[in-house]
Amino acid sequence: MDRASYLKKLRSKLSRLPAHELNAALVYYEEYFDEAGAENEQQVISQLGSPSVVATQIMADFALKDLDATPTSTKKNMTAIWLIILAILSAPLSLPLLAVALALIISVGAVIFSFVVAIVATVLSIFLGGVVALIGGALVLTEHWPTALLFMGVGLIVTGLGVLIFPAVARLIKKIGIVCVEVLASLFHKITKKRKGGF
C-alpha cells in the first residue's frame, strides 16, 4: 500500500464525519506523510497502522470533542461510548493488555448496567405499587370504606413519590452516562496517543 491508497481508504472510512472534520484529519495525515518524506512512506504506514485503526481513533476523538461542544443526550453518550470502546479495541496493544482492557470494560459496563436496571426497577416498583394500592382501595370501597380510603391514600402518596423521584433518577442515569464517557475517554487517551514527528 502506498500513500495515495492509504489516504483514499482513510477518506472512505471517515465518510460519516462532517466535511470540515474529514478534511482536517486528511490534511493532518498528508502533512504527516510530507514531514516523513517519500523515502519513509512505508515506515509511516506501518507506524500508523491500518486505515481502519486510524479512522476508529479519529472517530472516537471526534465523538469526545462533539460531546464537549454540544449538550449531551443519552443517544450521544451511547454513540461516544461505542466509538471509544472500538478505538480502544483497535489500538495497537499487546494481546495481554488488550485482554485486560476488554475485561475491564466488560466488567465495569456490567456493574453500571446492573446499577441502572436496579434503580429503574425500584422507581417502577414504587410507582406500580402505588397504582395497585389505589386500584385495590377503589375495589374495596363498597365493602369497607375506611380501609378503601387508607389504601387509596397510601396509593396516591406512593404513586406521587414515584412520579416525584423519576426526574431525579433520569438525571442520575444521564450523569452516569457522562461519567462513563469521561472514564472511557481518559482510558482511550492513556492507551492511544497521537504519533508525531520522529523522522
Side-chain angles (χ1 to χ4, degrees):
M1 182 186 303
D2 63 353
R3 168 186 172 154
S5 60
Y6 187 92
L7 292 173
K8 185 179 178 184
K9 283 184 181 177
L10 185 59
R11 176 182 285 277
S12 71
K13 298 280 184 189
L14 295 174
S15 59
R16 288 173 36 205
L17 282 178
H20 67 282
E21 291 287 339
L22 173 66
N23 292 333
L26 289 173
V27 165
Y28 173 82
Y29 285 99
E30 283 171 4
E31 288 174 359
Y32 194 84
F33 275 103
D34 288 342
E35 287 176 15
E39 65 279 0
N40 294 316
E41 196 172 281
Q42 290 305 313
Q43 192 175 351
V44 169
I45 290 170
S46 66
Q47 183 184 12
L48 289 174
S50 74
S52 299
V53 170
V54 173
T56 307
Q57 292 175 354
I58 292 170
M59 296 283 279
D61 279 335
F62 170 73
L64 289 172
K65 190 165 62 171
D66 188 43
L67 205 62
D68 289 338
T70 57
T72 58
S73 67
T74 305
K75 184 178 178 184
K76 189 176 280 193
N77 282 342
M78 290 307 296
T79 303
I81 287 171
W82 284 118
L83 284 172
I84 294 167
I85 288 172
L86 282 174
I88 290 171
L89 296 180
S90 67
L93 302 172
S94 66
L95 197 56
L97 189 57
L98 186 61
V100 168
L102 185 59
L104 184 67
I105 289 169
I106 290 171
S107 59
V108 170
V111 168
I112 291 170
F113 179 75
S114 302
F115 182 69
V116 168
V117 167
I119 290 174
V120 170
T122 302
V123 171
L124 279 176
S125 64
I126 289 171
F127 179 76
L128 292 176
V131 170
V132 167
L134 204 59
I135 292 169
L139 292 175
V140 288
L141 188 61
T142 56
E143 294 178 24
H144 193 254
W145 65 269
T147 305
L149 289 178
L150 175 69
F151 270 90
M152 291 171 77
V154 169
L156 285 172
I157 291 170
V158 173
T159 304
L161 182 64
V163 170
L164 189 65
I165 62 176
F166 179 77
V169 168
R171 280 195 301 274
L172 177 66
I173 291 171
K174 188 175 180 181
K175 183 69 176 169
I176 288 171
I178 292 168
V179 169
C180 288
V181 170
E182 288 171 355
V183 168
L184 278 172
S186 81
L187 181 63
F188 169 71
H189 286 302
K190 284 179 185 171
I191 290 176
T192 61
K193 292 183 171 58
K194 289 226 191 262
R195 301 167 196 86
K196 294 182 180 178
F199 294 104

